[in-house]
Amino acid sequence: MRKSNSSPSAATAGDARSCPTNSPRCILVVDDDPIFRHRNTEALMRHGYKVKAAEDGGAGWEELQTNQFHLVITESELPKLTGTELVRKLRSARLATPVIMATEKLPSRATQQLLLHPMVTLLKPYTTEEFMDAVRVILGAAQIGDEELAPQNGQPRQ
């Protein structure tokens, strides 16, 4: 069942539909463990990010089809659609959104090859500091890529 927007995390997370380049980065957290989902969402919001949360892969995919995100953080083992399947669909749709895979075990080599970079794997349990470091690294790498594509006059591309 999809998490309603009336939860404390979702209610304060904000709407990621319009995510101008000068606004906070928009992040999707997909995790069926309510403790990790809440902890990660709260940590991101404390650091100024806009966050949406989903409790299963199906709800995560719906969010990705409806909203634009700068980063997806997903558990590997999820109901309805696993994290690996979610990333596979993301890449099949030609979305280059960076991904952090949070998991209790390392994915196989074949799975790692499937998950195109930039991608970080975090082994559970991880600290909030490790989590935020991974977010900063991935968003920093994505921002460098964005800057390389930005027009010289500083105006957004049409």
Side-chain angles (χ1 to χ4, degrees):
M1 185 171 184
R2 189 173 174 179
K3 186 138 187 97
S4 75
N5 282 344
S6 62
S7 71
S9 296
T12 59
D15 188 354
R17 277 190 196 98
S18 59
C19 214
T21 54
N22 62 350
S23 74
R25 297 289 190 160
C26 303
I27 300 174
L28 174 62
V29 175
V30 186
D31 201 318
D32 62 332
D33 182 327
I35 294 170
F36 273 98
R37 187 175 59 244
H38 180 75
R39 184 182 83 162
N40 291 345
T41 299
E42 292 299 317
L44 290 165
M45 290 185 335
R46 275 195 312 273
H47 284 84
Y49 297 104
K50 293 175 93 175
V51 183
K52 287 272 193 166
E55 64 185 23
D56 62 58
W61 179 242
E62 287 177 26
E63 287 291 344
L64 286 164
Q65 291 181 301
T66 309
N67 301 300
Q68 178 183 0
F69 295 96
H70 294 100
L71 175 64
V72 174
I73 301 164
T74 183
E75 160 65 42
S76 60
E77 299 298 318
L78 293 168
K80 298 186 181 178
L81 189 69
T82 69
T84 302
E85 292 167 337
L86 180 64
V87 174
R88 183 181 295 141
K89 287 179 77 118
L90 186 72
R91 299 303 179 238
S92 292
R94 301 202 185 278
L95 296 172
T97 308
V99 175
I100 294 176
M101 180 73 69
T103 184
E104 293 179 8
K105 61 182 179 179
L106 287 173
S108 70
R109 184 179 173 111
T111 300
Q112 288 175 333
Q113 290 174 350
L114 170 71
L115 305 174
L116 305 174
H117 79 294
M119 209 273 289
V120 168
T121 301
L122 279 176
L123 287 177
K124 290 181 177 182
Y126 48 80
T127 66
T128 301
E129 183 177 325
E130 290 169 326
F131 174 73
M132 291 308 304
D133 285 347
V135 168
R136 283 188 283 270
V137 165
I138 289 292
L139 288 178
Q143 186 172 6
I144 289 169
D146 289 347
E147 288 171 0
E148 290 171 358
L149 298 174
Q152 297 300 321
N153 64 6
Q155 296 297 317
R157 289 183 181 231
Q158 301 279 334

